[in-house]
């Protein structure tokens, strides 16, 4: 929903002069700065070679490395996260990445006497949720619909629909509902002002 074009074309419409009309446009005016800011972050990354869907929402992301290594799917929200793009980070559709999340694609080999740099891609599948301050280490795949708990440190792959937490992250449950159909971008106040009024 990052593009103004999308929000304009999908805006809730109300009778001119009605209370709902004035209320919706007041909300749109108040939240316009945050909408434009997220749109600016997305456009800047795209300009530098990232592949980001027009409907993805990008917050104040700190991105280090090659911007061309980033791919973000439709209706995905990334908050104030940190992405280390030494290798590819591929993020699916309808993913929610909360503030404080760190995604790493490189480290050093502790078993190498020269402490060589090693890197590996990270894949985050559709409907995954990475909660506040989670850390994803290089080479990890987060399964479809998986939940990474707040502050978890993920060192290995997370299966589809699993819920993990802790340091290192361990499976707490395999029972997340499987027929997910929400849009994390709709929860943002700026988008609600346009889409719902």
């Amino acid at each position: 929903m990052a593009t103004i074009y999308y929000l304009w074309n999908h805006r809730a419409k109300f009778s001119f002069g009605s209370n709902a009309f004035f209320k919706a446009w007041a909300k749109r005016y108040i939240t316009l700065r945050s909408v434009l800011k997220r749109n600016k972050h997305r456009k800047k990354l795209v300009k530098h070679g990232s592949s980001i869907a027009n409907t993805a929402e990008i917050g104040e992301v700190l991105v280090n490395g090659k911007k061309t290594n980033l791919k973000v799917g439709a209706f995905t929200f990334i908050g104030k996260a940190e992405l280390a793009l030494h290798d590819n980070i591929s993020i699916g559709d309808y993913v929610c990445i909360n503030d404080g999340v760190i995604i790493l694609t490189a480290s050093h080999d502790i078993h190498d006497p020269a402490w060589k740099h090693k890197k590996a891609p990270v894949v985050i599948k559709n409907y995954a949720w990475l909660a506040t301050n989670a850390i994803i280490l290089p080479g990890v795949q987060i399964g479809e619909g998986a939940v990474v708990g707040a502050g978890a440190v993920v060192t290995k792959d997370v299966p589809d629909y699993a819920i993990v937490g802790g340091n290192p992250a361990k499976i707490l449950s395999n029972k997340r509902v499987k027929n997910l159909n929400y849009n994390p971008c709709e929860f943002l106040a700026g988008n609600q002002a346009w889409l719902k009024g």
Side-chain angles (χ1 to χ4, degrees), residues 24-190:
W25 281 101
K27 287 180 184 178
R28 291 166 185 170
Y29 176 76
I30 291 167
T31 60
L32 183 61
R33 186 174 176 193
S34 66
V35 169
L36 292 174
K37 199 173 186 181
R38 287 191 304 275
N39 191 46
K40 181 180 173 183
H41 292 306
R42 190 189 64 74
K43 285 174 90 173
K44 185 177 178 182
L45 287 169
V46 169
K47 181 181 176 184
H48 288 95
S50 297
S51 174
I52 301 176
N54 286 337
T55 55
E57 291 284 352
I58 309 296
E60 295 176 38
V61 178
L62 175 60
V63 178
N64 296 307
K66 292 170 57 176
K67 312 300 186 280
T68 55
N69 285 340
L70 179 62
K71 182 180 179 188
V72 181
F75 302 106
T76 284
F77 169 75
I78 304 175
K80 294 180 183 178
E82 184 176 339
L83 309 178
L85 293 169
H86 302 290
D87 205 322
N88 293 329
I89 295 178
S90 179
I91 302 169
D93 301 335
Y94 301 99
V95 172
C96 182
I97 299 177
N98 289 131
D99 292 349
V101 169
I102 299 172
I103 302 174
L104 304 172
T105 57
S107 187
H108 293 274
D109 187 349
I110 60 171
H111 301 295
D112 185 325
W115 199 48
K116 287 184 182 170
H117 194 244
K118 62 179 187 175
K119 59 184 185 174
V122 170
V123 175
I124 301 167
K125 294 188 176 180
N126 299 345
Y127 285 107
W129 173 24
L130 280 56
T132 304
N133 297 327
I135 299 174
I136 311 302
L137 297 185
V140 167
Q141 180 171 287
I142 307 296
E144 182 169 335
V147 177
V148 177
V153 178
V154 183
T155 60
K156 44 186 155 175
D157 292 354
V158 177
D160 292 351
Y161 303 101
I163 301 167
V164 301
N167 179 8
K170 292 184 169 53
I171 295 176
L172 305 175
S173 174
N174 283 314
K175 296 185 179 180
R176 188 173 190 203
V177 64
K178 293 188 179 178
N179 51 347
L180 299 168
N181 65 357
Y182 62 89
N183 178 348
C185 296
E186 286 183 356
F187 296 109
L188 300 170

